[in-house]
Amino acid sequence: MGEVIDPAFIQALEHRPKPESVQANNVPLIDLSPLGAREPDRGALESLVAQIGQACKNWGFFQVINHGVALHLREKMELVSRQFFAMQKEEQKKVARDEVKPLGYYDTEHTKNVRDWKEVFDFTVQEPMIIPAHDHELREMWNQWPHHDPPQMKEVCQQYGDEMEKLGHKLLELIALSLGLGRDRFRGFFEGRTTSFIRINHYPPCPVPDLALGVGRHKDAGALTVLAQDEVGGLQVKRKSDGDWILIQPTPNAYIVNVGDIIQVWSNDKYESVEHRVKVNAERERFSIPYFMNPTHDTMVEPLDELLSSRNPAKYRAYSWGEFFARRKLSNFKKLDVENVQIYHFKNY
């Protein structure tokens, strides 16, 4: 007799994963080593910018190698992740997140109002994270760390966060150049205390991998997501060319980068964020660590003037990133009666 699971995990029929995944063989794999060259090669940099632009336009995501993040730091990050999720549940719940303390451990997140088959630990890269509160005041969000175990978790996470910020800025510079903008065009949106955060995802083995998803289909609301996934894999991306869900095979020591909704709006739809989801595994647990690169809370997100013209008018109205982000954060704690806020709500028709 099959194992009975909570119906809250069951995806609607049209969103359930197929048993066999379409394998992606030609996902862009981009070598960032020209950025680290002692004597920059202009031709190599121009080629790199062109590759980034093509990947953003045609796929909405890509993988990067020779990215400058030390392998030993990534391995330490993966080790503390495994150690944290191997702890007793009562220990994990000492750093549980809730509506008062929205950072830390959580195991009942919903995507599109269906519960995800995962547990997570969230921490902000710059502490405290500042977001708007309901009453037009500002709210500080502080990290919660386990007191003793895993040892060095706080230090390793902070070091890793610093490296993710550096990599994120390199990628934003390349994306700006690929749009014909100045290298530092996006930097001002990230000066001060950003709302960037890192999530450690743990997907336990699932007895019904054909009915549930580790994370349901969604797009990322921020600017960029930089993902480390382990060797188990499970990330599926909706391919733009045909709408198929394709499995992104793990590449050793690579990061997967996906364009978020903010870049879609900044670029006035030249680059589109990509829908993705996570399949679960019947036998093996899986870990992944996304870095969500988000601007400061007071950023007004709108198409950039330099990219607009009479032939290409603004496709979006300006919206407050802080208010958008705060609504998204709150909605993770409960099922909603209406759809969560999306960028198309700000579309000019």
Side-chain angles (χ1 to χ4, degrees), residues 262-301:
I262 288 178
I263 285 181
Q264 177 168 333
V265 173
W266 280 340
S267 72
N268 206 39
D269 282 353
K270 182 170 184 181
Y271 298 162
E272 292 182 23
S273 59
V274 66
E275 197 167 33
H276 51 286
R277 68 186 188 185
V278 175
K279 281 187 71 170
V280 281
N281 193 295
E283 287 86 34
R284 300 180 68 185
E285 64 179 347
R286 174 180 181 263
F287 291 86
S288 71
I289 308 169
Y291 161 63
F292 298 100
M293 189 171 193
N294 300 330
T296 55
H297 74 88
D298 55 358
T299 297
M300 292 299 292
V301 180

Side-chain angles (χ1 to χ4, degrees), residues 167-270:
L167 176 56
H169 279 294
K170 288 181 194 173
L171 292 166
L172 280 180
E173 289 177 2
L174 291 168
I175 290 170
L177 290 169
S178 77
L179 288 166
L181 303 167
R183 179 188 294 272
D184 293 327
R185 180 61 177 89
F186 298 132
R187 189 166 284 273
F189 300 117
F190 298 85
E191 287 178 347
R193 217 173 281 284
T194 70
T195 52
S196 301
F197 69 101
I198 289 176
R199 167 166 292 173
I200 305 171
N201 288 312
H202 175 227
Y203 304 95
C206 178
V208 286
D210 54 333
L211 301 179
L213 286 167
V215 185
R217 73 198 192 285
H218 68 286
K219 295 183 175 187
D220 291 343
L224 276 185
T225 303
V226 182
L227 175 77
Q229 65 167 342
D230 68 11
E231 75 284 355
V232 176
L235 175 67
Q236 290 186 311
V237 171
K238 195 169 188 178
R239 187 162 50 194
K240 291 186 178 184
S241 58
D242 56 14
D244 275 351
W245 286 102
I246 58 170
L247 186 68
I248 308 303
Q249 292 287 8
T251 300
N253 198 26
Y255 284 98
I256 298 167
V257 180
N258 68 271
V259 168
D261 285 344
I262 288 178
I263 285 181
Q264 177 168 333
V265 173
W266 280 340
S267 72
N268 206 39
D269 282 353
K270 182 170 184 181

Side-chain angles (χ1 to χ4, degrees), residues 17-21 210 279:
K18 295 176 182 175
E20 296 301 319
S21 294
D210 54 333
K279 281 187 71 170

Side-chain angles (χ1 to χ4, degrees), residues 34-59:
L35 296 178
R38 287 189 176 177
E39 296 182 15
D41 178 330
R42 185 172 177 179
L45 284 171
E46 287 177 353
S47 172
L48 176 56
V49 168
Q51 289 176 65
I52 293 281
Q54 286 296 311
C56 289
K57 185 177 179 181
N58 297 331
W59 290 82

